[in-house]
Amino acid sequence: MQAYFASGYAADVMLAALVLEAAWLLARGRRLGLVLVMLGPAALIVLGLRAALVGAPWPWIALPLALSLPIHLADPRLWQRAPADGSSARPSAAGNLARAWRPIAARFAPAAGRRPDRASGPAS
């Protein structure tokens, strides 16, 4: 098992899984640019891992890791943009999370007219 990881084959298997996922997403009708932005950071991080596992010089480890950040930051912006076909845009993950937490947060919110930092008893 040690030789499997030291040779970088473990990272190769992860890269193959990412290629299969990309093919599946493309077959389901996702745009190529969107798939690249979705899976690009993971592929670059795995390439950095592979470089580290095989003992490559540090720039070959740092370069793919550094390149993954700007692509990762572009991902949410693409999800929030409306599709070109005119259909409604997919809601962002942050918006879905906020909507999901609203009923839970309402249970713990203070009652109207009461400040949470004051005790409910008479003022002394």
Side-chain angles (χ1 to χ4, degrees), residues 82-89:
D85 64 326
S87 62
S88 63

Side-chain angles (χ1 to χ4, degrees), residues 4 6 9 20 29 40 45-46 59 65 67 71 75 79-80 93 106 113-114 118:
Y4 175 71
Y9 288 140
L20 288 174
I45 290 170
V46 172
L65 296 178
L67 290 175
I71 300 172
D75 186 20
W79 280 110
Q80 292 172 356
R114 240 181 59 202
R118 291 194 178 169

Side-chain angles (χ1 to χ4, degrees), residues 39-78:
L39 300 178
L44 287 168
I45 290 170
V46 172
L47 285 173
L49 170 68
R50 188 182 196 297
L53 288 173
V54 299
W58 72 266
W60 291 108
I61 300 168
L63 184 65
L65 296 178
L67 290 175
S68 71
L69 179 63
I71 300 172
H72 177 69
L73 293 176
D75 186 20
R77 293 185 185 172
L78 283 179

Side-chain angles (χ1 to χ4, degrees), residues 12 23 57 73 82 117 124:
D12 293 341
L73 293 176
D117 59 337
S124 47

